[in-house]
Amino acid sequence: MVAANQYYVIQTSLSYSSTALTEARNWEVEHEDWVRDAERDGRLFLGGDFMEGREGGDYDGDAIGEEGEGGKRKAKDENEDEGSVSSTLVPDRMYVIRSPSLGEAEKFANTDPFNRNCVTTYRVAPWKVTRGRVGVEVRMGEGEFRIE
């Protein structure tokens, strides 16, 4: 578990290279392992896809291989004819991580297989938590939890 209470935002977007979509499919499993490991070791505080244009916040799919509107950018697939756009959509994402320094946060962001292999571009910025509330309710007998 990371002991630091400093938070950093990693904001990612699909690269506009002609091979980005194909590359995303190649690294998707390793990326999911990266996210799971960061969550397990306490480094990942929050993470997820931007949902711009999603009415009612009903998006519940994975980023790659899903179809939808808004919030997921269309990416041109290298195997398609010039001028056509892939039906596969890839969202912009954000992760809030715990890290002892900006330099360490940047090193960590670069270990994401999507970032490391230039599938996504990313930005790392310090995040100062000044407002908010988090509530957690756990009902052990029922095996349920709720986060407010």
Side-chain angles (χ1 to χ4, degrees):
M1 162 115 31
V2 176
N5 275 336
Q6 295 177 6
Y7 295 94
Y8 297 88
V9 172
I10 303 169
Q11 184 175 351
T12 66
S13 297
L14 181 68
S15 170
Y16 283 103
S17 75
S18 62
T19 60
L21 188 57
T22 302
E23 288 296 313
R25 289 185 184 114
N26 294 338
W27 296 106
E28 186 174 17
V29 172
E30 191 176 333
H31 167 79
E32 289 303 318
D33 290 342
W34 177 85
V35 173
R36 209 174 355 271
D37 290 347
E39 184 176 32
R40 189 176 300 119
D41 73 13
R43 190 180 310 241
L44 180 64
F45 177 62
L46 298 169
D49 300 344
F50 287 105
M51 295 179 54
E52 297 167 12
R54 302 228 169 254
E55 294 186 27
D58 58 358
Y59 173 67
D60 64 355
D62 290 328
I64 299 168
E66 286 277 329
E67 294 185 15
E69 297 176 9
K72 291 180 121 183
R73 211 180 324 190
K74 292 185 178 183
K76 183 170 177 353
D77 191 312
E78 67 182 28
N79 298 321
E80 293 180 329
D81 295 330
E82 190 64 29
S84 69
V85 176
S86 171
S87 63
T88 302
L89 304 167
V90 180
D92 293 339
R93 294 180 173 159
M94 183 180 90
Y95 303 96
V96 179
I97 63 165
R98 298 174 184 96
S99 183
S101 70
L102 177 59
E104 289 297 315
E106 289 170 337
K107 285 180 188 175
F108 175 71
N110 195 49
T111 66
D112 177 347
F114 285 167
N115 296 339
R116 187 179 67 235
N117 292 290
C118 301
V119 172
T120 51
T121 59
Y122 65 97
R123 174 179 179 259
V124 180
W127 186 47
K128 182 178 179 182
V129 180
T130 59
R131 304 268 191 285
R133 173 180 169 242
V134 175
V136 178
E137 179 180 328
V138 179
R139 297 178 185 181
M140 301 212 204
E142 296 156 17
E144 296 177 356
F145 71 92
R146 183 179 76 190
I147 300 174
E148 293 182 358

